[in-house]
């Protein structure tokens, strides 16, 4: 049974402050209809959570899927440093009830695949929208699968905001990857100015809709909520800030896709996750794992993050 610890414990003013930076109209408790609607949503979430079954020993997981941790190595590493990282991961003791993937730079995918323990799956950091061909600098889904990749990260903020990829383009990538049985880690998240303007939900929902409009199925999708202001900055969303967005995204899935998809889709958090903060984040019932950047380049620290699944467990 899920143990639900909601933030709905105070007065209207306390609630409004707790949700600071999100869509400002979400909690207008001065309006009785809004109040009624809000608590209906909370009640729906509570009932949905209590009826779900998580992985072994998990009691604070709203989704029904297995805890998922991905390591995004980005544009880092050399043959030697990656050999050391792989060695550290191969010798680490990892909890069994966690799905773990790592995403080396493309040029090291084969090296990692051939040396890393099978317990950890290989993923890619990007892919093209269709089959290969005259697309200089791109990599196709077919090539990734040929190298043994099981997943691909799409929609990461660095590709959205540095390389200019828009929602529609990202949706096309996701649709093609899924059509070829390559799982998708679908990234969403807001800029700092968007959070400060109260647009967090609006931005995340727009990004979610782009995926929903394009993908044939949600069976092999993991959603990664990564507030852009927390990626690589050393800043991290508080467990409460992350949880409230994860709740909203799950509710969006329930209303716009199906309740079943909302229950089984894993929603993971990314944004300066490290060994020091992962346990508190993992305790939140709608945080189903992590997408880790810099800390995933350190084998022992990444192992600690993977093993933070124990924060969701209690003795039988």
């Amino acid at each position: 049974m899920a143990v639900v610890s909601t933030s709905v414990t105070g007065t209207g003013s306390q609630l409004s402050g707790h949700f600071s930076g999100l869509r400002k109209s979400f909690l207008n408790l001065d309006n009785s209809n809004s109040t009624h609607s809000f608590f209906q949503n909370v009640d729906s979430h509570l009932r949905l959570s209590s009826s779900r079954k998580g992985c072994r020993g998990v009691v604070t997981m709203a989704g029904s899927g297995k805890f998922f941790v991905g390591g995004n190595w980005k544009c880092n590493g050399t043959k030697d440093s990656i050999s050391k990282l792989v060695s550290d991961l191969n010798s680490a003791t990892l909890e069994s009830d966690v799905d773990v993937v790592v995403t080396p730079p493309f040029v090291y995918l084969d090296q990692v695949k051939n040396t890393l323990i099978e317990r950890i799956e290989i993923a890619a950091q990007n892919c093209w929208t269709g089959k290969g061909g005259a697309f200089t600098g791109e990599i196709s889904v077919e090539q990734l699968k040929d190298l043994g990749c099981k997943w691909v990260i799409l929609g990461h903020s660095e590709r959205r905001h540095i390389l200019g990829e828009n929602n529609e383009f990202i949706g096309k990538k996701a649709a093609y990857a899924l059509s070829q049985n390559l799982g998708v880690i679908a990234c969403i998240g807001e800029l700092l100015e968007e959070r400060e303007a109260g647009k967090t939900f609006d931005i995340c929902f727009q990004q979610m809709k782009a995926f929903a409009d394009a993908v044939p199925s949600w069976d092999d999708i993991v959603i990664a909520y990564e507030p852009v202001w927390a990626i690589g900055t050393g800043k991290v969303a508080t467990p409460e800030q992350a949880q409230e967005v994860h709740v909203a995204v799950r509710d969006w899935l329930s209303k716009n896709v199906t309740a079943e998809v909302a229950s089984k889709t894993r929603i993971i958090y990314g944004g300066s996750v490290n060994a020091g903060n992962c346990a508190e984040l993992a305790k939140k019932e709608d945080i189903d794992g992590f997408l880790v950047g810099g800390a995933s380049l350190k084998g022992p620290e990444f192992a600690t993050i993977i093993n933070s699944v124990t924060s969701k467990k209690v003795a039988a």
Side-chain angles (χ1 to χ4, degrees), residues 19-298:
F19 278 71
S20 176
L22 303 179
R23 188 165 56 198
K24 292 178 179 177
S25 62
F26 183 71
L27 287 178
N28 180 8
L29 296 185
D30 293 332
N31 182 294
S32 59
N33 290 332
S34 298
T35 306
H36 178 69
S37 176
F38 170 71
F39 283 102
Q40 274 190 323
N41 288 339
V42 171
D43 179 65
S44 175
H45 177 68
L46 289 170
R47 284 184 281 105
L48 197 58
S49 297
S50 64
S51 65
R52 294 171 182 151
K53 293 182 179 179
C55 55
R56 176 181 57 81
V58 172
V59 295
T60 56
M61 205 158 167
S64 58
K66 201 174 184 181
F67 203 71
F68 186 105
V69 177
N72 183 7
W73 296 0
K74 305 190 179 184
C75 189
N76 291 297
T78 63
K79 287 192 292 185
D80 288 344
S81 68
I82 284 176
S83 291
K84 173 63 166 61
L85 177 53
V86 168
S87 177
D88 288 344
L89 292 175
N90 286 345
S91 62
T93 300
L94 304 178
E95 290 289 315
S96 61
D97 48 358
V98 185
D99 287 335
V100 184
V101 305
V102 294
T103 64
F106 291 134
V107 293
Y108 301 122
L109 280 170
D110 203 39
Q111 175 188 347
V112 175
K113 175 62 178 175
N114 290 330
T115 56
L116 187 64
I117 55 174
E118 291 185 2
R119 164 77 178 82
I120 302 175
E121 293 185 330
I122 307 301
Q125 299 178 24
N126 186 37
C127 69
W128 181 235
T129 59
K131 290 184 178 180
F135 306 108
T136 302
E138 288 295 339
I139 187 165
S140 72
V141 169
E142 290 79 8
Q143 290 168 328
L144 295 176
K145 292 187 65 179
D146 189 42
L147 288 174
C149 288
K150 303 294 185 183
W151 296 86
V152 61
I153 296 174
L154 295 175
H156 194 280
S157 65
E158 288 153 5
R159 300 202 64 86
R160 290 180 186 270
H161 300 294
I162 298 175
L163 299 174
E165 295 188 0
N166 62 29
N167 286 339
E168 182 181 4
F169 186 62
I170 294 164
K172 288 180 180 178
K173 289 183 177 186
Y176 188 73
L178 292 167
S179 75
Q180 301 303 305
N181 300 313
L182 186 66
V184 171
I185 302 171
C187 298
I188 63 172
E190 81 284 3
L191 296 166
L192 179 59
E193 55 264 35
E194 292 167 339
R195 170 167 278 270
E196 290 176 340
K199 296 181 179 179
T200 294
F201 287 174
D202 295 332
I203 297 301
C204 290
F205 293 170
Q206 289 169 15
Q207 295 166 347
M208 287 292 297
K209 186 177 186 301
F211 283 115
D213 287 347
V215 301
S217 168
W218 288 84
D219 288 345
D220 296 306
I221 297 178
V222 170
I223 299 167
Y225 168 59
E226 295 196 299
V228 182
W229 48 271
I231 299 174
T233 63
K235 298 178 181 179
V236 61
T238 65
E240 292 75 23
Q241 287 174 321
Q243 167 67 11
E244 60 201 16
V245 177
H246 283 224
V247 169
V249 170
R250 202 178 301 280
D251 185 58
W252 187 93
L253 283 171
S254 181
K255 291 177 178 177
N256 294 277
V257 187
T258 68
E260 180 184 6
V261 166
S263 175
K264 72 181 182 180
T265 299
R266 291 172 287 187
I267 307 172
I268 64 178
Y269 172 77
S272 297
V273 177
N274 58 46
N277 58 35
C278 59
E280 289 304 309
L281 286 162
K283 289 177 182 177
K284 294 300 182 181
E285 61 269 21
D286 283 275
I287 295 180
D288 302 326
F290 301 110
L291 184 58
V292 186
S296 70
L297 299 173
K298 305 169 186 176

